[in-house]
Amino acid sequence: MYDGAQTSLAIETINRIKNKRKPFFLALGYFRPHLPFVAPKKYWDLYNPMEIPIADNSFIPFNAPSMAMYNQREMTACYDLEYVKHPAYFRMPEKEARMLKHGYYASVSYVDACIGRLVDELEKQKLMDNTIIVLWGDHGWKLGEHNAWGKQTNYLNDTRVPLIVYAPGMKNPGSKSNELVEMVDLYPTLCDLAGIETPAYLQGTSFKKLLNENSVEWKGAVFSQFLRPEGEGIDLNKKNYMGYSMVTKNYHLIEWYYWDKVTQKPGELVARELYNLTSDPKENFNIAVYPENKDILDKLSEQRKKGWKEVRNKLITTKSYQ
């Protein structure tokens, strides 16, 4: 299979370049757990589909605006699921839901085994003492949460990703951090760990410090955005929307604007979402619609508009990442 072949090729490459006495950079992209969920039988056999838990929030978030959810078009190309519709008026049958989660779990276990082969080879070749390893995913995936399957929303199910970093000499190996980091932080972090000068124009911030300290004040917010093109939601206005998202430790703010594809600029603000991640970590209740939340909503909106530069400048000022 593709991922197994890729791993074998990576192992061959490591053996070819390890003796060149020059630094190397090896990037390996795994296809699973991407659709379709195909993996060797042994990994399917690890799971009993009837014991796999079904999402307990299989409903669209209360008070969510019409453009928030995706029409699940990516599902219609797989598994004879051409009948899948927008989650606002379609629910995946339980049999298919269990099959999909079973396939996802099997695919993850298969890739986990492939990664294990790769790490075993690095240990065998005695490269672990001077090799940095970063494992991450490019997006999350809803497995029935919010009555949906797939990605392509601003919700944390889609935007939160796995991130594991191993670096020789790190002081907290095996520990977990709940601090906020972003994909744009990976490049400056790799530069920092490898002793390479980091360009000043980068939007990201090295999180090397988080690998060495258990308690450290870090980013106050992280940012993303997602385009909802005309026809992908259930919006009767048939407009394009851009959803600007900001996550703090306690809240998730999403602001939806009309989007002009020609000028590539936002227009009028048309909807807001606010989720209290302390009391509602699964983002089931949009509290932006309630008047009593106006003050916190406005405060977070102002913070979002200041953007990543404000967050990064604060880190530089307090010398939190040196």
Side-chain angles (χ1 to χ4, degrees), residues 10 35 39 47 61 85 117 128 142 144 164 176 199 220 232 243 279:
L35 288 169
Y47 304 97
K85 305 295 182 183
R117 287 179 58 203
M128 294 295 285
K142 292 183 294 298
I164 302 174
K176 178 181 177 181
E232 286 192 354
S279 61

Side-chain angles (χ1 to χ4, degrees), residues 25-280:
F25 177 90
L26 177 65
L28 175 57
Y30 284 108
F31 196 76
R32 301 289 172 253
H34 197 283
L35 288 169
F37 299 144
V38 179
K41 182 177 182 298
K42 63 183 290 186
Y43 301 104
W44 285 80
D45 292 345
L46 293 174
Y47 304 97
N48 180 345
M50 298 311 298
E51 295 178 355
I52 294 175
I54 298 298
D56 61 4
N57 63 335
S58 56
F59 49 85
I60 292 178
F62 289 94
N63 306 317
S66 61
M67 70 288 292
M69 298 299 295
Y70 176 56
N71 63 10
Q72 307 189 103
R73 189 176 66 244
E74 63 183 322
M75 296 301 301
T76 63
C78 300
Y79 304 112
D80 298 322
L81 294 177
E82 297 90 347
Y83 56 85
V84 170
K85 305 295 182 183
H86 193 284
Y89 46 84
F90 172 85
R91 181 177 297 277
M92 189 75 71
E94 182 175 336
K95 180 181 178 181
E96 282 74 11
R98 290 191 179 278
M99 178 182 66
L100 287 165
K101 291 197 75 169
H102 191 180
Y104 191 93
Y105 284 20
S107 297
V108 169
S109 292
Y110 172 48
V111 167
D112 184 59
C114 290
I115 295 167
R117 287 179 58 203
L118 192 64
V119 174
D120 285 347
E121 187 65 25
L122 289 171
E123 291 180 335
K124 177 182 176 181
Q125 299 302 330
K126 302 186 184 306
L127 293 172
M128 294 295 285
D129 290 340
N130 64 345
T131 300
I132 301 161
I133 304 173
V134 180
L135 172 66
W136 83 98
D138 59 340
H139 57 77
W141 222 79
K142 292 183 294 298
L143 293 164
E145 295 86 1
H146 299 324
N147 195 35
W149 298 81
K151 53 184 186 296
Q152 301 188 2
T153 77
N154 280 304
Y155 296 120
L156 293 180
N157 285 110
D158 297 4
T159 59
R160 180 178 285 166
V161 301
L163 177 60
I164 302 174
V165 178
Y166 164 82
M170 60 188 295
K171 297 179 181 178
N172 289 315
S175 63
K176 178 181 177 181
S177 174
N178 290 318
E179 295 301 318
L180 298 170
V181 296
E182 305 168 86
M183 288 184 181
V184 291
D185 297 334
L186 289 176
Y187 178 47
T189 301
L190 284 173
C191 288
D192 200 1
L193 289 170
I196 298 172
E197 184 177 355
T198 306
Y201 55 77
L202 297 181
Q203 296 182 15
T205 304
S206 169
F207 55 78
K208 177 182 177 181
K209 193 176 183 69
L210 294 179
L211 304 179
N212 294 318
E213 295 188 23
N214 283 324
S215 180
V216 58
E217 181 182 357
W218 205 241
K219 286 189 177 183
V222 291
F223 304 86
S224 62
Q225 65 187 79
F226 198 87
L227 175 68
R228 178 70 63 225
E230 175 187 343
E232 286 192 354
I234 56 171
D235 175 48
L236 298 178
N237 293 325
K238 303 297 181 183
K239 298 283 189 178
N240 298 306
Y241 299 92
M242 183 64 77
Y244 292 92
S245 169
M246 183 186 74
V247 175
T248 70
K249 285 190 174 181
N250 297 318
Y251 292 98
H252 185 186
L253 171 70
I254 306 168
E255 296 186 310
W256 291 97
Y257 290 80
Y258 285 132
W259 182 254
D260 190 321
K261 281 192 170 183
V262 176
T263 64
Q264 296 289 292
K265 292 182 179 180
E268 177 186 355
L269 174 67
V270 292
R272 280 174 166 173
E273 297 177 76
L274 180 62
Y275 299 94
N276 186 324
L277 300 180
T278 301
S279 61
D280 180 29

